[in-house]
Amino acid sequence: MSQNWWDSAVIYQIYPRSFRDSNGDGIGDLQGITEKLETVADLGVDCVWLSPFFKSPFKDFGYDVSDYRAVDPVFGTDRDFDVLLNKAHGLGLKVILDQVLCHCSEEHRWFEESRQDRTNPKADWYVWQNPKPDGTEPNNWLSFFGGRAWTWDARRRQYYFHNFLTSQPNLNHRNPEVRAAVLADCKYWLDKGVDGFRLDAIHTMAFDPDFLDNDPRADIENGGDDSRVSQPFGMQDIQSRQIDQPWGKQFLAELRALADSYDEPRFLMGELGGDNGAEMINRYTQPGLLHACYNFDLLAWDGQTAEELEGVLRRVTDKLEGHQITFATSNHDVPRIASRQVKRLGLAPEDTDRVAMMMVELELALHGSVCLYMGEELGLEDADRLALEDLQDPWGIEFWPTFMGRDTCRTPIPWEAAAKHAGFTTADKPWLPVDERHLPRSMDQQFLDPNSFRAQVKSVIARRKSGEILTGGTLDVLDSPENMLVLQRASGNKNQRVMFNFGTKDALFEGEKVEALSSVFGQPMPG
Ligand code: BGC
């Protein structure tokens, strides 16, 4: 049964750089978001998640924060944020912020001080280690974005640890002073009235304090087939040592105590990657820790067949109560869902809308909360025709051309089909180009059309919220024929079936017909 607003919330993710540019510099900003909040509220969502807009050198486009309390001038001012928050609340929308607390930017003053020498007051605020006697890195840990997870600093004559870019040093949360400083920055935003946090890559906070080597992954040879793990990083079991160690709970407990100290408790949702989704989620959502975890199982880089979807949903739902989980099928880190699924299922481009709608319906038929990524309501396909010279994401630049990185899902939202750069910006050049294929799907084309993709998404959201079965109820995955996925939701003495046919031929489930590439939400039944 739902008790908190977040237990079954529909959360709309905004990547501020690409949402709407109000000042003509080619980069989206807070005022641009404020101008468009009515459009977001109109969809019927409960909450907005804002990806980082804090001060940053933008080596990882804001996931490298150099001042946790400051709005970066590229996005606007403190006042712009206050106006946004106020307006969102006035429209009945909650607002959660992305807090990147496991690492920061090398330009953060804490790191600038820490790297000066081995004795300064912040010397132990990051993860510093001596080299091996032969001068090489302390262990075999690799960075998610390529290369070693260790970078040499000539002043300290030591290596510092970073899971991501060399410019994103990991904070040492074993040090109570670090935890206190980070919590004080979190409190700053909670005091302003934000409704909670999405905690970036929270599983990457806790490393093995003995710095032993990661184990190899026995199941992956030479990087595996998945386009993302065909990088050496994918060949290690990073959960064995590099991340996800038990001592990380300490900070989560302290953050939860802070979140609970307000009259209106605040929502804590942790982003968790890695294997063993349900087992990990259970660990991170024990009483007194996080409320929910953002789950990656439906974000597979190369899409998923009906059987694969069934497998991951069984794995996760068998062991979890709904409110502990936040599902997503798209975000700012993976190719857009419509294209992933079209490729994976071997469908034709004309099938894009149908499969994109099925994935929205699937998300909204699941238990727990759900994050819709901006543009998902328009049925946007992935902007996978970007040229190398357009790329901005350092991960994509590193592994081009076998892997394009994350820019393909970060191109600007098309607001007006006929306007320059689809009305995203008046600048000559936006930071990433608008994909021409998005123009017929632009907001102005869809907003007033009662049959548009967006209008259908809006009605699916309304259907989810119309009763308890799809929000507060339990979820079971039923055995189903090939290409089908059948969910059973139940609450009190009622249940409801939701059937998906990912095949290109009509199918039957217990005598009921489900047309090719479509879904059927059954009537709520007693029992
Ligand atoms: C974010 C990414 C970011 C990384 C490092 C993630 O999981 O979603 O966009 O690059 O954390 O902060």
Side-chain angles (χ1 to χ4, degrees):
M1 202 54 63
S2 287
Q3 294 186 335
N4 294 303
W5 66 263
W6 55 76
D7 285 345
S8 61
V10 181
I11 302 168
Y12 184 86
Q13 183 195 353
I14 295 183
Y15 190 72
R17 255 186 123 72
S18 303
F19 193 64
R20 163 86 165 179
D21 172 21
S22 73
N23 66 354
D25 64 357
I27 298 174
D29 46 46
L30 295 181
Q31 211 181 307
I33 296 171
T34 303
E35 284 167 14
K36 295 292 183 188
L37 278 178
E38 282 89 352
T39 316
V40 175
D42 173 78
L43 207 50
V45 301
D46 304 292
C47 177
V48 169
W49 148 24
L50 297 175
S51 282
F53 52 80
F54 313 107
K55 195 157 188 330
S56 168
F58 298 116
K59 302 266 175 59
D60 189 22
F61 295 101
Y63 284 90
D64 48 330
V65 179
S66 58
D67 182 344
Y68 288 104
R69 297 192 194 194
V71 173
D72 194 281
V74 154
F75 293 121
T77 61
D78 282 3
R79 194 179 133 63
D80 290 339
F81 178 75
D82 295 340
V83 172
L84 186 162
L85 184 65
N86 231 334
K87 180 166 174 187
H89 283 165
L91 288 165
L93 292 169
K94 307 283 185 193
V95 176
I96 63 172
L97 305 189
D98 217 323
Q99 291 286 51
V100 192
L101 307 177
C102 301
H103 52 266
C104 62
S105 158
E106 64 183 342
E107 293 185 19
H108 196 296
R109 64 191 159 77
W110 298 340
F111 187 67
E112 283 175 350
E113 187 175 337
S114 186
R115 78 189 316 181
Q116 291 306 318
D117 52 51
R118 297 188 190 187
T119 54
N120 69 73
K122 296 199 171 45
D124 183 42
W125 280 41
Y126 293 83
V127 187
W128 293 100
Q129 282 294 294
N130 291 328
K132 283 187 179 159
D134 64 0
T136 56
E137 294 82 355
N139 59 27
N140 70 352
W141 298 357
L142 298 174
S143 151
F144 288 45
F145 290 157
R148 292 286 191 161
W150 296 99
T151 292
W152 179 250
D153 188 282
R155 272 164 294 188
R156 287 183 58 137
R157 301 167 73 98
Q158 283 182 312
Y159 285 100
Y160 65 88
F161 169 51
H162 50 87
N163 276 307
F164 297 93
L165 299 171
T166 56
S167 53
Q168 292 169 297
N170 260 59
L171 278 151
N172 178 15
H173 281 265
R174 279 166 61 80
N175 181 335
E177 286 176 18
V178 170
R179 298 200 301 273
V182 168
L183 286 172
D185 286 348
C186 291
K187 183 169 185 303
Y188 171 83
W189 293 103
L190 295 174
D191 286 349
K192 267 186 184 284
V194 305
D195 301 285
F197 297 136
R198 176 257 191 195
L199 302 163
D200 184 70
I202 199 68
H203 60 305
T204 66
M205 173 184 298
F207 50 87
D208 171 18
D210 295 327
F211 298 100
L212 298 178
D213 277 356
N214 286 328
D215 297 331
R217 270 186 69 168
D219 56 327
I220 299 252
E221 260 179 52
N222 199 17
D225 297 332
D226 179 307
S227 53
R228 191 170 44 157
V229 293
S230 62
Q231 304 165 12
F233 172 74
M235 298 162 73
Q236 291 188 354
D237 176 6
I238 51 165
Q239 278 166 281
S240 59
R241 305 280 188 283
Q242 185 170 337
I243 63 167
D244 191 29
Q245 302 299 301
W247 62 262
K249 273 192 209 158
Q250 177 67 34
F251 174 76
L252 302 183
E254 290 168 7
L255 182 58
R256 175 62 181 267
L258 173 66
D260 287 351
S261 69
Y262 293 84
D263 289 344
E264 290 268 326
R266 312 300 165 90
F267 177 38
L268 298 180
M269 183 240 286
E271 183 202 22
L272 285 191
D275 294 337
N276 306 317
E279 180 272 323
M280 262 179 104
I281 293 172
N282 270 323
R283 274 194 281 123
Y284 281 77
T285 56
Q286 278 165 23
L289 303 182
L290 303 180
H291 296 106
C293 291
Y294 182 86
N295 171 268
F296 269 72
D297 286 345
L298 300 181
L299 287 161
W301 197 273
D302 295 324
Q304 284 157 316
T305 62
E307 286 65 37
E308 286 163 342
L309 290 168
E310 187 177 305
V312 299
L313 288 176
R314 262 186 213 286
R315 263 207 324 272
V316 177
T317 55
D318 275 359
K319 298 186 199 121
L320 281 183
E321 288 176 43
H323 57 83
Q324 296 161 278
I325 194 160
T326 307
F327 281 108
T329 61
S330 277
N331 68 16
H332 64 294
D333 286 333
V334 294
R336 285 188 177 275
I337 183 68
S339 309
R340 276 162 38 220
Q341 286 303 91
V342 165
K343 278 190 206 147
R344 178 67 176 153
L345 299 171
L347 301 171
E350 314 74 90
D351 294 324
T352 302
D353 271 5
R354 292 172 81 180
V355 76
M357 181 55 63
M358 287 178 76
M359 294 310 289
V360 170
E361 289 172 328
L362 173 58
E363 266 181 297
L364 290 163
L366 295 172
H367 63 178
S369 45
V370 50
C371 287
L372 285 182
Y373 179 49
M374 62 179 205
E376 213 174 331
E377 80 278 28
L378 302 176
L380 299 185
E381 57 268 81
D382 201 49
D384 55 8
R385 296 185 187 165
L386 290 174
L388 175 58
E389 53 276 19
D390 290 326
L391 290 197
Q392 304 284 336
D393 179 18
W395 194 16
I397 294 167
E398 170 90 14
F399 289 101
W400 173 275
T402 55
F403 173 76
M404 284 180 80
R406 301 166 295 175
D407 292 321
T408 61
C409 61
R410 296 178 177 178
T411 59
I413 290 296
W415 292 99
E416 291 168 58
K420 177 175 162 187
H421 304 305
F424 162 69
T425 181
T426 54
D428 287 341
K429 196 171 184 298
W431 81 285
L432 279 174
V434 173
D435 190 309
E436 296 259 303
R437 291 170 299 170
H438 291 175
L439 298 182
R441 297 176 191 265
S442 63
M443 193 71 78
D444 65 333
Q445 302 289 298
Q446 297 205 36
F447 196 79
L448 296 173
D449 172 1
N451 299 316
S452 68
F453 190 93
R454 182 183 179 282
Q456 290 174 58
V457 173
K458 185 173 163 176
S459 73
V460 182
I461 294 174
R463 177 169 59 199
R464 173 182 168 93
K465 294 170 101 176
S466 66
E468 268 176 17
I469 308 184
L470 292 180
T471 50
T474 57
L475 184 148
D476 281 304
V477 182
L478 305 186
D479 290 335
S480 59
E482 203 188 352
N483 293 328
M484 286 195 83
L485 172 68
V486 179
L487 308 178
Q488 175 148 294
R489 302 294 314 267
S491 173
N493 57 1
K494 286 202 192 133
N495 68 61
Q496 183 173 10
R497 288 215 174 143
V498 193
M499 295 169 282
F500 299 86
N501 178 4
F502 287 95
T504 48
K505 293 196 184 104
D506 296 352
L508 283 180
F509 182 77
E510 293 185 356
E512 204 166 337
K513 180 171 149 188
V514 186
E515 287 178 12
L517 292 179
S518 56
S519 64
V520 172
F521 279 67
Q523 289 305 314
M525 307 281 278

